[in-house]
Short mmCIF file of all heavy atoms in Angstrom, two decimals:
data_model
loop_
_atom_site.label_atom_id
_atom_site.label_comp_id
_atom_site.label_asym_id
_atom_site.label_seq_id
_atom_site.Cartn_x
_atom_site.Cartn_y
_atom_site.Cartn_z
N MET W 1 -86.85 33.87 229.52
CA MET W 1 -87.61 33.40 228.36
C MET W 1 -87.03 34.06 227.11
O MET W 1 -86.81 35.25 227.08
CB MET W 1 -89.08 33.80 228.54
CG MET W 1 -90.00 33.04 227.63
SD MET W 1 -91.74 33.47 227.79
CE MET W 1 -92.19 32.79 229.35
N ASP W 2 -86.78 33.27 226.10
CA ASP W 2 -86.20 33.81 224.87
C ASP W 2 -87.27 34.47 224.00
O ASP W 2 -88.46 34.38 224.27
CB ASP W 2 -85.43 32.74 224.10
CG ASP W 2 -86.33 31.65 223.55
OD1 ASP W 2 -87.55 31.69 223.80
OD2 ASP W 2 -85.81 30.75 222.87
N HIS W 3 -86.83 35.11 222.95
CA HIS W 3 -87.72 35.84 222.04
C HIS W 3 -88.77 34.93 221.42
O HIS W 3 -89.94 35.28 221.29
CB HIS W 3 -86.89 36.54 220.96
CG HIS W 3 -87.70 37.32 219.99
ND1 HIS W 3 -88.40 38.44 220.36
CD2 HIS W 3 -87.93 37.13 218.67
CE1 HIS W 3 -89.03 38.91 219.30
NE2 HIS W 3 -88.76 38.14 218.26
N THR W 4 -88.38 33.72 221.04
CA THR W 4 -89.30 32.77 220.42
C THR W 4 -90.43 32.40 221.37
O THR W 4 -91.58 32.30 220.96
CB THR W 4 -88.55 31.50 219.97
OG1 THR W 4 -87.47 31.89 219.12
CG2 THR W 4 -89.45 30.55 219.23
N SER W 5 -90.11 32.22 222.63
CA SER W 5 -91.13 31.87 223.61
C SER W 5 -92.16 32.98 223.75
O SER W 5 -93.35 32.72 223.88
CB SER W 5 -90.49 31.59 224.97
OG SER W 5 -89.65 30.48 224.88
N HIS W 6 -91.71 34.21 223.72
CA HIS W 6 -92.65 35.34 223.78
C HIS W 6 -93.56 35.34 222.57
O HIS W 6 -94.75 35.60 222.68
CB HIS W 6 -91.90 36.67 223.85
CG HIS W 6 -91.30 36.96 225.18
ND1 HIS W 6 -92.06 37.16 226.29
CD2 HIS W 6 -90.01 37.05 225.57
CE1 HIS W 6 -91.27 37.38 227.32
NE2 HIS W 6 -90.01 37.32 226.91
N GLN W 7 -93.02 35.06 221.40
CA GLN W 7 -93.84 35.03 220.18
C GLN W 7 -94.90 33.95 220.28
O GLN W 7 -96.05 34.18 219.91
CB GLN W 7 -92.97 34.80 218.95
CG GLN W 7 -92.12 35.99 218.57
CD GLN W 7 -91.20 35.69 217.40
OE1 GLN W 7 -90.84 34.55 217.16
NE2 GLN W 7 -90.84 36.73 216.68
N LYS W 8 -94.55 32.79 220.77
CA LYS W 8 -95.51 31.71 220.91
C LYS W 8 -96.59 32.08 221.91
O LYS W 8 -97.77 31.84 221.68
CB LYS W 8 -94.82 30.42 221.33
CG LYS W 8 -93.97 29.79 220.24
CD LYS W 8 -93.28 28.54 220.74
CE LYS W 8 -92.37 27.98 219.66
NZ LYS W 8 -91.62 26.82 220.16
N ALA W 9 -96.19 32.68 223.02
CA ALA W 9 -97.17 33.09 224.03
C ALA W 9 -98.10 34.16 223.47
O ALA W 9 -99.31 34.10 223.68
CB ALA W 9 -96.45 33.61 225.27
N ASP W 10 -97.54 35.12 222.73
CA ASP W 10 -98.36 36.17 222.13
C ASP W 10 -99.34 35.57 221.11
O ASP W 10 -100.50 35.97 221.06
CB ASP W 10 -97.50 37.22 221.44
CG ASP W 10 -96.73 38.08 222.42
OD1 ASP W 10 -97.08 38.06 223.62
OD2 ASP W 10 -95.77 38.76 221.99
N ALA W 11 -98.91 34.63 220.31
CA ALA W 11 -99.77 34.01 219.30
C ALA W 11 -100.93 33.30 219.97
O ALA W 11 -102.06 33.36 219.50
CB ALA W 11 -98.97 33.05 218.43
N LYS W 12 -100.67 32.61 221.08
CA LYS W 12 -101.74 31.92 221.79
C LYS W 12 -102.73 32.92 222.36
O LYS W 12 -103.93 32.70 222.32
CB LYS W 12 -101.15 31.07 222.91
CG LYS W 12 -100.44 29.84 222.42
CD LYS W 12 -99.89 29.05 223.58
CE LYS W 12 -99.09 27.86 223.09
NZ LYS W 12 -98.49 27.11 224.19
N LEU W 13 -102.25 34.04 222.89
CA LEU W 13 -103.14 35.04 223.45
C LEU W 13 -104.01 35.69 222.39
O LEU W 13 -105.16 36.01 222.64
CB LEU W 13 -102.33 36.12 224.18
CG LEU W 13 -101.64 35.69 225.47
CD1 LEU W 13 -100.77 36.83 225.99
CD2 LEU W 13 -102.66 35.28 226.50
N GLU W 14 -103.48 35.88 221.21
CA GLU W 14 -104.23 36.54 220.15
C GLU W 14 -105.41 35.72 219.67
O GLU W 14 -106.37 36.27 219.19
CB GLU W 14 -103.30 36.84 218.96
CG GLU W 14 -102.29 37.91 219.26
CD GLU W 14 -101.32 38.11 218.13
OE1 GLU W 14 -101.58 37.60 217.02
OE2 GLU W 14 -100.32 38.78 218.34
N LEU W 15 -105.34 34.41 219.78
CA LEU W 15 -106.40 33.57 219.23
C LEU W 15 -107.13 32.79 220.31
O LEU W 15 -107.38 31.60 220.18
CB LEU W 15 -105.82 32.62 218.18
CG LEU W 15 -105.27 33.31 216.94
CD1 LEU W 15 -104.65 32.29 216.00
CD2 LEU W 15 -106.33 34.10 216.22
N THR W 16 -107.50 33.47 221.37
CA THR W 16 -108.29 32.85 222.42
C THR W 16 -109.44 33.76 222.78
O THR W 16 -109.44 34.95 222.47
CB THR W 16 -107.44 32.57 223.67
OG1 THR W 16 -106.94 33.82 224.18
CG2 THR W 16 -106.29 31.63 223.40
N GLY W 17 -110.42 33.22 223.43
CA GLY W 17 -111.54 33.99 223.95
C GLY W 17 -112.24 34.84 222.91
O GLY W 17 -112.52 34.39 221.80
N PRO W 18 -112.51 36.10 223.26
CA PRO W 18 -113.26 36.98 222.37
C PRO W 18 -112.55 37.25 221.04
O PRO W 18 -113.20 37.40 220.01
CB PRO W 18 -113.39 38.28 223.16
CG PRO W 18 -113.09 37.95 224.56
CD PRO W 18 -112.24 36.73 224.55
N VAL W 19 -111.24 37.26 221.05
CA VAL W 19 -110.50 37.52 219.81
C VAL W 19 -110.70 36.36 218.84
O VAL W 19 -110.94 36.56 217.65
CB VAL W 19 -109.00 37.75 220.09
CG1 VAL W 19 -108.22 37.88 218.80
CG2 VAL W 19 -108.80 38.98 220.96
N LEU W 20 -110.64 35.15 219.34
CA LEU W 20 -110.86 33.97 218.51
C LEU W 20 -112.30 33.95 217.99
O LEU W 20 -112.54 33.68 216.81
CB LEU W 20 -110.56 32.70 219.28
CG LEU W 20 -110.81 31.38 218.55
CD1 LEU W 20 -109.94 31.30 217.30
CD2 LEU W 20 -110.53 30.21 219.47
N THR W 21 -113.24 34.25 218.84
CA THR W 21 -114.64 34.30 218.43
C THR W 21 -114.85 35.32 217.33
O THR W 21 -115.50 35.04 216.32
CB THR W 21 -115.54 34.63 219.63
OG1 THR W 21 -115.36 33.62 220.62
CG2 THR W 21 -117.00 34.70 219.24
N HIS W 22 -114.26 36.48 217.48
CA HIS W 22 -114.38 37.54 216.48
C HIS W 22 -113.75 37.10 215.15
O HIS W 22 -114.34 37.29 214.08
CB HIS W 22 -113.71 38.82 216.99
CG HIS W 22 -113.78 39.95 216.05
ND1 HIS W 22 -114.96 40.63 215.79
CD2 HIS W 22 -112.84 40.55 215.28
CE1 HIS W 22 -114.74 41.57 214.90
NE2 HIS W 22 -113.46 41.55 214.57
N ALA W 23 -112.58 36.48 215.21
CA ALA W 23 -111.91 36.01 213.99
C ALA W 23 -112.76 34.97 213.28
O ALA W 23 -112.86 34.97 212.05
CB ALA W 23 -110.54 35.44 214.34
N ARG W 24 -113.36 34.08 214.03
CA ARG W 24 -114.21 33.05 213.43
C ARG W 24 -115.45 33.65 212.78
O ARG W 24 -115.88 33.20 211.72
CB ARG W 24 -114.59 32.01 214.47
CG ARG W 24 -113.46 31.08 214.82
CD ARG W 24 -113.88 30.06 215.84
NE ARG W 24 -112.79 29.14 216.12
CZ ARG W 24 -112.76 28.34 217.17
NH1 ARG W 24 -113.76 28.33 218.03
NH2 ARG W 24 -111.74 27.54 217.36
N LEU W 25 -116.04 34.64 213.42
CA LEU W 25 -117.22 35.30 212.85
C LEU W 25 -116.88 36.00 211.54
O LEU W 25 -117.63 35.91 210.56
CB LEU W 25 -117.80 36.30 213.85
CG LEU W 25 -118.50 35.70 215.04
CD1 LEU W 25 -118.86 36.80 216.05
CD2 LEU W 25 -119.75 34.95 214.62
N ILE W 26 -115.75 36.68 211.52
CA ILE W 26 -115.34 37.37 210.30
C ILE W 26 -115.05 36.38 209.19
O ILE W 26 -115.51 36.54 208.06
CB ILE W 26 -114.12 38.27 210.58
CG1 ILE W 26 -114.56 39.47 211.43
CG2 ILE W 26 -113.48 38.74 209.28
CD1 ILE W 26 -113.44 40.34 211.90
N GLU W 27 -114.31 35.34 209.50
CA GLU W 27 -114.00 34.31 208.49
C GLU W 27 -115.28 33.66 207.99
O GLU W 27 -115.43 33.40 206.80
CB GLU W 27 -113.05 33.26 209.06
CG GLU W 27 -112.71 32.16 208.08
CD GLU W 27 -112.06 32.66 206.80
OE1 GLU W 27 -111.35 33.67 206.83
OE2 GLU W 27 -112.27 32.01 205.75
N GLY W 28 -116.22 33.40 208.88
CA GLY W 28 -117.50 32.82 208.48
C GLY W 28 -118.27 33.74 207.56
O GLY W 28 -118.88 33.29 206.59
N SER W 29 -118.23 35.03 207.83
CA SER W 29 -118.91 36.01 206.99
C SER W 29 -118.32 36.03 205.59
O SER W 29 -119.05 36.04 204.59
CB SER W 29 -118.79 37.40 207.64
OG SER W 29 -119.33 38.38 206.79
N VAL W 30 -117.00 36.02 205.50
CA VAL W 30 -116.33 36.01 204.20
C VAL W 30 -116.67 34.72 203.47
O VAL W 30 -117.00 34.74 202.27
CB VAL W 30 -114.80 36.16 204.36
CG1 VAL W 30 -114.09 35.96 203.03
CG2 VAL W 30 -114.46 37.51 204.95
N GLN W 31 -116.63 33.60 204.16
CA GLN W 31 -116.91 32.31 203.52
C GLN W 31 -118.34 32.22 203.03
O GLN W 31 -118.60 31.71 201.93
CB GLN W 31 -116.60 31.17 204.50
CG GLN W 31 -116.57 29.81 203.84
CD GLN W 31 -115.52 29.71 202.76
OE1 GLN W 31 -114.38 30.11 202.95
NE2 GLN W 31 -115.88 29.18 201.61
N ARG W 32 -119.30 32.71 203.81
CA ARG W 32 -120.70 32.69 203.37
C ARG W 32 -120.92 33.55 202.14
O ARG W 32 -121.64 33.15 201.21
CB ARG W 32 -121.63 33.13 204.51
CG ARG W 32 -121.87 32.05 205.55
CD ARG W 32 -122.93 32.44 206.55
NE ARG W 32 -122.61 33.68 207.27
CZ ARG W 32 -121.79 33.73 208.33
NH1 ARG W 32 -121.22 32.65 208.78
NH2 ARG W 32 -121.56 34.87 208.93
N ALA W 33 -120.30 34.71 202.11
CA ALA W 33 -120.42 35.59 200.95
C ALA W 33 -119.81 34.94 199.71
O ALA W 33 -120.39 34.98 198.62
CB ALA W 33 -119.76 36.94 201.22
N TYR W 34 -118.65 34.31 199.87
CA TYR W 34 -118.00 33.63 198.75
C TYR W 34 -118.87 32.46 198.27
O TYR W 34 -119.08 32.30 197.07
CB TYR W 34 -116.63 33.13 199.19
CG TYR W 34 -115.92 32.32 198.13
CD1 TYR W 34 -115.35 32.95 197.04
CD2 TYR W 34 -115.83 30.94 198.22
CE1 TYR W 34 -114.70 32.21 196.05
CE2 TYR W 34 -115.18 30.20 197.25
CZ TYR W 34 -114.62 30.84 196.17
OH TYR W 34 -113.99 30.11 195.20
N ASN W 35 -119.37 31.66 199.20
CA ASN W 35 -120.20 30.52 198.83
C ASN W 35 -121.45 30.96 198.08
O ASN W 35 -121.85 30.32 197.10
CB ASN W 35 -120.59 29.70 200.06
CG ASN W 35 -119.44 28.91 200.62
OD1 ASN W 35 -118.43 28.70 199.96
ND2 ASN W 35 -119.58 28.48 201.86
N ALA W 36 -122.08 32.05 198.53
CA ALA W 36 -123.28 32.55 197.84
C ALA W 36 -122.96 32.92 196.40
O ALA W 36 -123.72 32.60 195.48
CB ALA W 36 -123.86 33.75 198.59
N PHE W 37 -121.83 33.57 196.20
CA PHE W 37 -121.43 33.95 194.85
C PHE W 37 -121.16 32.71 193.99
O PHE W 37 -121.65 32.59 192.87
CB PHE W 37 -120.18 34.84 194.89
CG PHE W 37 -119.55 35.04 193.55
CD1 PHE W 37 -120.18 35.79 192.58
CD2 PHE W 37 -118.34 34.45 193.26
CE1 PHE W 37 -119.61 35.96 191.33
CE2 PHE W 37 -117.75 34.62 192.02
CZ PHE W 37 -118.40 35.37 191.05
N ILE W 38 -120.41 31.76 194.51
CA ILE W 38 -120.04 30.55 193.75
C ILE W 38 -121.27 29.72 193.42
O ILE W 38 -121.44 29.25 192.28
CB ILE W 38 -119.00 29.71 194.52
CG1 ILE W 38 -117.68 30.48 194.62
CG2 ILE W 38 -118.79 28.36 193.87
CD1 ILE W 38 -117.06 30.82 193.27
N VAL W 39 -122.15 29.52 194.38
CA VAL W 39 -123.36 28.73 194.14
C VAL W 39 -124.20 29.40 193.06
O VAL W 39 -124.68 28.75 192.13
CB VAL W 39 -124.16 28.53 195.44
CG1 VAL W 39 -125.56 28.00 195.16
CG2 VAL W 39 -123.42 27.58 196.37
N HIS W 40 -124.39 30.71 193.18
CA HIS W 40 -125.18 31.42 192.17
C HIS W 40 -124.55 31.27 190.79
O HIS W 40 -125.25 30.92 189.82
CB HIS W 40 -125.31 32.90 192.51
CG HIS W 40 -125.96 33.66 191.39
ND1 HIS W 40 -127.32 33.70 191.24
CD2 HIS W 40 -125.43 34.33 190.35
CE1 HIS W 40 -127.60 34.40 190.14
NE2 HIS W 40 -126.46 34.79 189.58
N ALA W 41 -123.26 31.52 190.70
CA ALA W 41 -122.59 31.48 189.40
C ALA W 41 -122.66 30.09 188.77
O ALA W 41 -122.74 29.96 187.55
CB ALA W 41 -121.14 31.92 189.54
N SER W 42 -122.67 29.05 189.59
CA SER W 42 -122.71 27.69 189.05
C SER W 42 -124.12 27.26 188.66
O SER W 42 -124.28 26.33 187.88
CB SER W 42 -122.11 26.70 190.04
OG SER W 42 -122.94 26.59 191.18
N GLU W 43 -125.13 27.94 189.20
CA GLU W 43 -126.52 27.56 188.92
C GLU W 43 -127.24 28.51 187.97
O GLU W 43 -128.29 28.17 187.45
CB GLU W 43 -127.29 27.44 190.23
CG GLU W 43 -126.79 26.33 191.12
CD GLU W 43 -127.51 26.27 192.46
OE1 GLU W 43 -128.31 27.18 192.77
OE2 GLU W 43 -127.26 25.30 193.20
N CYS W 44 -126.70 29.68 187.76
CA CYS W 44 -127.36 30.71 186.96
C CYS W 44 -127.11 30.46 185.47
O CYS W 44 -125.96 30.41 185.02
CB CYS W 44 -126.84 32.09 187.35
SG CYS W 44 -127.49 33.45 186.34
N GLY W 45 -128.19 30.30 184.71
CA GLY W 45 -128.07 30.05 183.27
C GLY W 45 -127.26 31.11 182.54
O GLY W 45 -126.31 30.79 181.82
N PRO W 46 -127.63 32.40 182.67
CA PRO W 46 -126.86 33.44 181.97
C PRO W 46 -125.39 33.51 182.39
O PRO W 46 -124.51 33.70 181.55
CB PRO W 46 -127.60 34.73 182.33
CG PRO W 46 -128.99 34.31 182.63
CD PRO W 46 -128.85 32.95 183.27
N CYS W 47 -125.10 33.32 183.67
CA CYS W 47 -123.71 33.35 184.13
C CYS W 47 -122.92 32.23 183.47
O CYS W 47 -121.79 32.44 183.01
CB CYS W 47 -123.63 33.20 185.65
SG CYS W 47 -124.14 34.66 186.58
N LYS W 48 -123.52 31.03 183.43
CA LYS W 48 -122.82 29.88 182.84
C LYS W 48 -122.71 30.02 181.33
O LYS W 48 -121.66 29.76 180.75
CB LYS W 48 -123.55 28.58 183.19
CG LYS W 48 -123.41 28.20 184.64
CD LYS W 48 -123.86 26.80 185.00
CE LYS W 48 -125.15 26.35 184.39
NZ LYS W 48 -125.61 25.05 184.88
N ALA W 49 -123.79 30.45 180.68
CA ALA W 49 -123.81 30.52 179.22
C ALA W 49 -122.89 31.61 178.68
O ALA W 49 -122.19 31.41 177.70
CB ALA W 49 -125.24 30.73 178.73
N LEU W 50 -122.92 32.76 179.34
CA LEU W 50 -122.15 33.90 178.84
C LEU W 50 -120.75 33.98 179.43
O LEU W 50 -119.89 34.67 178.89
CB LEU W 50 -122.91 35.21 179.12
CG LEU W 50 -124.30 35.32 178.49
CD1 LEU W 50 -125.00 36.58 178.97
CD2 LEU W 50 -124.21 35.29 176.97
N GLY W 51 -120.55 33.34 180.55
CA GLY W 51 -119.23 33.40 181.20
C GLY W 51 -118.94 34.72 181.87
O GLY W 51 -117.79 35.03 182.18
N VAL W 52 -119.98 35.51 182.10
CA VAL W 52 -119.83 36.79 182.79
C VAL W 52 -120.89 36.87 183.88
O VAL W 52 -121.90 36.16 183.84
CB VAL W 52 -119.97 38.01 181.83
CG1 VAL W 52 -118.86 38.01 180.81
CG2 VAL W 52 -121.32 38.00 181.14
N ASP W 53 -120.68 37.75 184.84
CA ASP W 53 -121.63 37.91 185.95
C ASP W 53 -122.90 38.60 185.48
O ASP W 53 -122.85 39.62 184.80
CB ASP W 53 -121.02 38.76 187.07
CG ASP W 53 -119.88 38.08 187.78
OD1 ASP W 53 -119.64 36.88 187.55
OD2 ASP W 53 -119.21 38.76 188.58
N CYS W 54 -124.05 38.04 185.89
CA CYS W 54 -125.31 38.75 185.73
C CYS W 54 -125.38 39.80 186.85
O CYS W 54 -124.47 39.90 187.68
CB CYS W 54 -126.49 37.78 185.81
SG CYS W 54 -126.78 37.07 187.45
N ASP W 55 -126.44 40.57 186.89
CA ASP W 55 -126.55 41.63 187.91
C ASP W 55 -126.51 41.06 189.33
O ASP W 55 -125.86 41.61 190.22
CB ASP W 55 -127.83 42.45 187.71
CG ASP W 55 -127.77 43.34 186.47
OD1 ASP W 55 -126.66 43.60 185.98
OD2 ASP W 55 -128.85 43.76 186.01
N GLU W 56 -127.21 39.94 189.53
CA GLU W 56 -127.23 39.34 190.87
C GLU W 56 -125.84 38.84 191.26
O GLU W 56 -125.38 39.05 192.37
CB GLU W 56 -128.23 38.20 190.94
CG GLU W 56 -128.35 37.62 192.34
CD GLU W 56 -129.43 36.55 192.45
OE1 GLU W 56 -130.21 36.36 191.50
OE2 GLU W 56 -129.48 35.92 193.51
N ALA W 57 -125.17 38.18 190.32
CA ALA W 57 -123.81 37.68 190.59
C ALA W 57 -122.86 38.84 190.88
O ALA W 57 -122.00 38.74 191.75
CB ALA W 57 -123.30 36.86 189.43
N ALA W 58 -123.02 39.93 190.15
CA ALA W 58 -122.17 41.10 190.38
C ALA W 58 -122.37 41.63 191.81
O ALA W 58 -121.40 42.00 192.48
CB ALA W 58 -122.45 42.19 189.35
N GLY W 59 -123.61 41.66 192.26
CA GLY W 59 -123.90 42.09 193.63
C GLY W 59 -123.31 41.15 194.66
O GLY W 59 -122.77 41.59 195.68
N LEU W 60 -123.40 39.83 194.39
CA LEU W 60 -122.83 38.85 195.31
C LEU W 60 -121.31 38.95 195.35
O LEU W 60 -120.69 38.84 196.41
CB LEU W 60 -123.26 37.44 194.91
CG LEU W 60 -124.75 37.14 195.11
CD1 LEU W 60 -125.12 35.83 194.43
CD2 LEU W 60 -125.10 37.11 196.58
N ARG W 61 -120.70 39.18 194.18
CA ARG W 61 -119.24 39.34 194.13
C ARG W 61 -118.83 40.58 194.92
O ARG W 61 -117.85 40.56 195.67
CB ARG W 61 -118.76 39.46 192.69
CG ARG W 61 -117.24 39.57 192.60
CD ARG W 61 -116.79 39.87 191.17
NE ARG W 61 -117.08 38.84 190.23
CZ ARG W 61 -116.24 37.86 189.89
NH1 ARG W 61 -115.05 37.80 190.45
NH2 ARG W 61 -116.59 36.96 189.01
N LYS W 62 -119.60 41.65 194.79
CA LYS W 62 -119.31 42.89 195.51
C LYS W 62 -119.41 42.66 197.02
O LYS W 62 -118.56 43.11 197.78
CB LYS W 62 -120.27 44.00 195.07
CG LYS W 62 -120.00 45.32 195.72
CD LYS W 62 -120.94 46.39 195.21
CE LYS W 62 -120.67 47.71 195.89
NZ LYS W 62 -121.60 48.76 195.42
N SER W 63 -120.44 41.93 197.44
CA SER W 63 -120.60 41.62 198.87
C SER W 63 -119.43 40.81 199.39
O SER W 63 -118.94 41.05 200.50
CB SER W 63 -121.89 40.85 199.10
OG SER W 63 -123.00 41.64 198.80
N TRP W 64 -118.97 39.86 198.60
CA TRP W 64 -117.82 39.04 198.98
C TRP W 64 -116.57 39.90 199.13
O TRP W 64 -115.84 39.80 200.11
CB TRP W 64 -117.63 37.93 197.96
CG TRP W 64 -116.37 37.15 198.09
CD1 TRP W 64 -115.83 36.64 199.24
CD2 TRP W 64 -115.47 36.80 197.05
NE1 TRP W 64 -114.66 35.98 198.97
CE2 TRP W 64 -114.41 36.06 197.62
CE3 TRP W 64 -115.46 37.02 195.69
CZ2 TRP W 64 -113.36 35.57 196.88
CZ3 TRP W 64 -114.42 36.51 194.94
CH2 TRP W 64 -113.39 35.80 195.54
N ARG W 65 -116.34 40.78 198.16
CA ARG W 65 -115.15 41.66 198.23
C ARG W 65 -115.23 42.59 199.44
O ARG W 65 -114.22 42.82 200.11
CB ARG W 65 -115.04 42.47 196.94
CG ARG W 65 -114.57 41.63 195.79
CD ARG W 65 -114.41 42.46 194.55
NE ARG W 65 -113.88 41.65 193.46
CZ ARG W 65 -113.99 41.97 192.19
NH1 ARG W 65 -114.60 43.07 191.83
NH2 ARG W 65 -113.48 41.18 191.26
N GLN W 66 -116.41 43.11 199.72
CA GLN W 66 -116.56 43.98 200.89
C GLN W 66 -116.31 43.21 202.18
O GLN W 66 -115.67 43.74 203.10
CB GLN W 66 -117.96 44.61 200.90
CG GLN W 66 -118.14 45.65 199.83
CD GLN W 66 -119.57 46.15 199.73
OE1 GLN W 66 -120.51 45.46 200.13
NE2 GLN W 66 -119.74 47.33 199.18
N ALA W 67 -116.77 41.98 202.25
CA ALA W 67 -116.53 41.14 203.43
C ALA W 67 -115.03 40.90 203.61
O ALA W 67 -114.51 40.96 204.72
CB ALA W 67 -117.29 39.82 203.33
N LYS W 68 -114.34 40.63 202.50
CA LYS W 68 -112.88 40.43 202.58
C LYS W 68 -112.19 41.69 203.04
O LYS W 68 -111.26 41.63 203.85
CB LYS W 68 -112.32 40.02 201.21
CG LYS W 68 -112.61 38.60 200.83
CD LYS W 68 -111.85 38.07 199.65
CE LYS W 68 -111.49 39.06 198.58
NZ LYS W 68 -110.80 38.48 197.42
N GLU W 69 -112.62 42.84 202.54
CA GLU W 69 -112.00 44.11 202.95
C GLU W 69 -112.23 44.36 204.44
O GLU W 69 -111.30 44.78 205.14
CB GLU W 69 -112.58 45.27 202.14
CG GLU W 69 -112.10 45.30 200.71
CD GLU W 69 -112.79 46.38 199.89
OE1 GLU W 69 -113.42 47.29 200.47
OE2 GLU W 69 -112.70 46.31 198.65
N ARG W 70 -113.43 44.12 204.92
CA ARG W 70 -113.71 44.30 206.36
C ARG W 70 -112.87 43.36 207.21
O ARG W 70 -112.44 43.71 208.31
CB ARG W 70 -115.20 44.09 206.65
CG ARG W 70 -116.08 45.23 206.23
CD ARG W 70 -117.49 45.08 206.77
NE ARG W 70 -118.12 43.84 206.35
CZ ARG W 70 -118.88 43.69 205.28
NH1 ARG W 70 -119.08 44.71 204.47
NH2 ARG W 70 -119.42 42.53 204.99
N ALA W 71 -112.62 42.16 206.69
CA ALA W 71 -111.85 41.18 207.44
C ALA W 71 -110.40 41.59 207.61
O ALA W 71 -109.74 41.20 208.56
CB ALA W 71 -111.92 39.82 206.75
N THR W 72 -109.88 42.38 206.69
CA THR W 72 -108.48 42.78 206.76
C THR W 72 -108.29 44.10 207.50
O THR W 72 -107.16 44.54 207.68
CB THR W 72 -107.86 42.90 205.36
OG1 THR W 72 -108.58 43.87 204.60
CG2 THR W 72 -107.88 41.56 204.65
N GLN W 73 -109.35 44.72 207.93
CA GLN W 73 -109.22 46.01 208.64
C GLN W 73 -108.99 45.81 210.11
O GLN W 73 -109.29 44.88 210.72
CB GLN W 73 -110.48 46.85 208.44
CG GLN W 73 -110.66 47.26 207.02
CD GLN W 73 -111.96 48.01 206.80
OE1 GLN W 73 -112.81 48.08 207.66
NE2 GLN W 73 -112.12 48.56 205.62
#
């Protein structure tokens, strides 16, 4: 088996079973945090009017960044 075949086999192993489930959970967590921030920012009067994060938006942005950091660890 050549080197390329090993890489393909390794890639398949990395994204199956519990590893795939874990990756999906992490990605879902990041996406939910991002969506919460975006929805808030688009619906919040002060965020839209001032073009800056209100306290709640700042907290949501922080949660999103923390989720992204956890996903890369």
